[in-house]
Amino acid sequence: MELGLPAVVRDPALPARVRIHEVGARDGLQNESSLVPVEVKAEFIARLAAAGLRTVEATSFVHPKWVPQLADAEELLPRVTGLREQYQGLRLPVLVPNERGLERALARGADEIAVFASATETFAQRNLNRSMAEALEMFRPVVTRAVEAGVGARGYLSMCFGDPWEGPVGADQVVTAGLRLLELGCAELSLGDTIGVATPGQVAGLLEAFDRAGVPVERLAVHFHDTYGQALSNTLTALRHGITVVDASAGGLGGCPYAKSATGNLATEDLVWMLHGLGIETGVDLTALAATSAWLAGRLGRPSPSRAVQALVGAATLPSSTG
Ligand code: HMG
Ligand code: MG
């Protein structure tokens, strides 16, 4: 075994390649208590692309008062769209809740958008100021117009396993909400464990329920937050059910400002260590990625929560105040 790389033992039951949907610059930075300068965000995105990530969610065109951390979306996106020429196949999706957000995103060169719904009423109200039904009506023209403009559209579904106000969320409820998002025209549906409470049996149950509902697994992605340390086991379960698109956040940054108890996403480095160990291709240079997360941790003034980043980079390169 080479230092810094996992030993490889291939499992033929698992996919040969996984596409990582990197959300650190959006899901990660939306949750920072301090405002991160736009040039740091742009450099972060450029480093993620240089490390081999080919889907790098850049920011959100939401109401700037709702998420002040991403209020610089207009300024940020044009700073990074040039990376698409430099790195073939690079996609830079942005979150868009409504037509106003879509117009802002298209004016700044967005080539892919994502709408974000909830499987529960309480979170729909808290996150979007709308009921679930009203939120869908808000998204309908967004997805239609995006598709007409040749812009890819993804749908996120939050609270797919548990909700901090409503408790456990049943698979049938999630499938019903997910089908509605797919019917709007979203090419892909990302199933969010917003508060990181899911366990592998639940993940298997939900994916089997989508299968029974006739949704091809190729249209699904998983989005695990790591509050209870279950994100990797949940991911492995999802891979065993045919999932090949996994959302993750460099260095384990993340959370949701409107979901109490949401912590960071599954760390991309922890994910890549497992995938490469299983002989699954990602296209990611793990060393470059961990160095990027350590660099950002230095800018944020605290260590990355990712175990793989800590192991690969070591405490020496992180700020001394962070231990
Ligand atoms: P609202 O207050 O109901 O907005 O917020 P409104 O439609 O009533 O409009 C009020 C004013 O805001 C209007 O201005 C609009 O033009 C303006 P006025 O006419 O009064 O001058 N406005 C906007 N301005 C700029 N950009 C916009 C925009 N929209 C309206 N896009 C809204 C409704 C949806 C806008 C608000 O609730 C919002 O922005 N929510 C976003 C919350 C958010 O970003 N949450 C985090 C992302 S979701 C997440 O993290 C979960 C995920 O990671 C998956 C998982 O983990 O589960 C994806
Ligand atoms: Mg999230």
Side-chain angles (χ1 to χ4, degrees):
M1 188 186 93
E2 203 179 316
L3 204 63
L5 295 174
V8 179
V9 182
R10 176 93 188 103
D11 180 342
L14 296 176
R17 188 173 174 87
V18 160
R19 177 164 66 79
I20 298 175
H21 185 111
E22 169 60 46
V23 296
R26 193 281 303 171
D27 208 342
L29 297 185
Q30 78 180 7
N31 214 40
E32 278 305 308
S33 47
S34 59
L35 293 183
V36 178
V38 69
E39 50 282 353
V40 173
K41 292 178 179 175
E43 184 171 348
F44 182 40
I45 292 168
R47 283 179 174 233
L48 293 170
L53 288 153
R54 286 295 168 268
T55 309
V56 181
E57 205 165 86
T59 186
S60 295
F61 287 87
V62 294
H63 196 298
K65 284 201 186 118
W66 280 64
V67 185
Q69 294 85 346
L70 304 184
D72 58 5
E74 251 90 5
E75 208 187 329
L76 176 63
L77 194 61
R79 285 186 187 230
V80 296
T81 45
L83 293 167
R84 293 192 297 237
E85 275 91 71
Q86 204 176 335
Y87 300 104
Q88 215 195 354
L90 178 66
R91 293 154 62 177
L92 298 167
V94 294
L95 259 60
V96 160
N98 52 18
E99 289 187 275
R100 172 93 181 86
L102 179 70
E103 278 151 21
R104 291 174 55 208
L106 293 179
R108 297 295 161 150
D111 63 351
E112 189 168 324
I113 59 113
V115 294
F116 45 104
S118 170
T120 65
E121 283 295 349
T122 312
F123 188 62
Q125 281 295 350
R126 287 184 176 254
N127 200 39
L128 295 161
N129 204 20
R130 303 280 184 282
S131 67
M132 288 164 71
E134 288 165 346
L136 271 185
E137 289 319 306
M138 178 167 74
F139 299 146
R140 189 182 302 281
V142 176
V143 177
T144 305
R145 284 178 57 189
V147 172
E148 278 167 11
V151 166
R154 171 183 236 223
Y156 275 105
L157 191 61
S158 287
M159 304 297 176
C160 290
F161 302 93
D163 173 296
W165 300 279
E166 298 189 16
V169 181
D172 290 349
Q173 180 176 339
V174 178
V175 171
T176 303
L179 285 174
R180 292 196 179 125
L181 265 183
L182 288 168
E183 281 156 16
L184 286 187
C186 293
E188 183 172 280
L189 177 68
S190 174
L191 304 172
D193 183 14
T194 319
I195 55 167
V197 291
T199 49
Q202 239 185 324
V203 172
L206 183 60
L207 293 174
E208 284 156 15
F210 271 105
D211 185 46
R212 280 195 302 277
V215 176
V217 72
E218 295 75 28
R219 290 189 72 187
L220 299 176
V222 288
H223 179 105
F224 296 122
H225 285 259
D226 204 21
T227 319
Y228 288 88
Q230 305 298 300
L232 261 189
S233 348
N234 289 338
T235 302
L236 186 56
T237 303
L239 297 177
R240 291 203 190 288
H241 281 75
I243 289 285
T244 57
V245 182
V246 180
D247 298 4
S249 141
L253 291 163
C256 176
Y258 291 100
K260 61 180 180 188
S261 71
T263 64
N265 293 80
L266 166 63
T268 313
E269 291 84 353
D270 299 13
L271 172 66
V272 169
W273 183 273
M274 179 181 81
L275 294 177
H276 289 186
L278 286 163
I280 298 172
E281 274 180 52
T282 65
V284 172
D285 175 340
L286 182 55
T287 309
L289 179 61
T292 298
S293 293
W295 162 80
L296 188 69
R299 303 305 297 252
L300 299 177
R302 56 186 164 68
S304 158
S306 158
R307 303 292 292 269
V309 171
Q310 290 168 20
L312 287 165
V313 180
T317 57
L318 297 176
S320 54
S321 61
T322 60

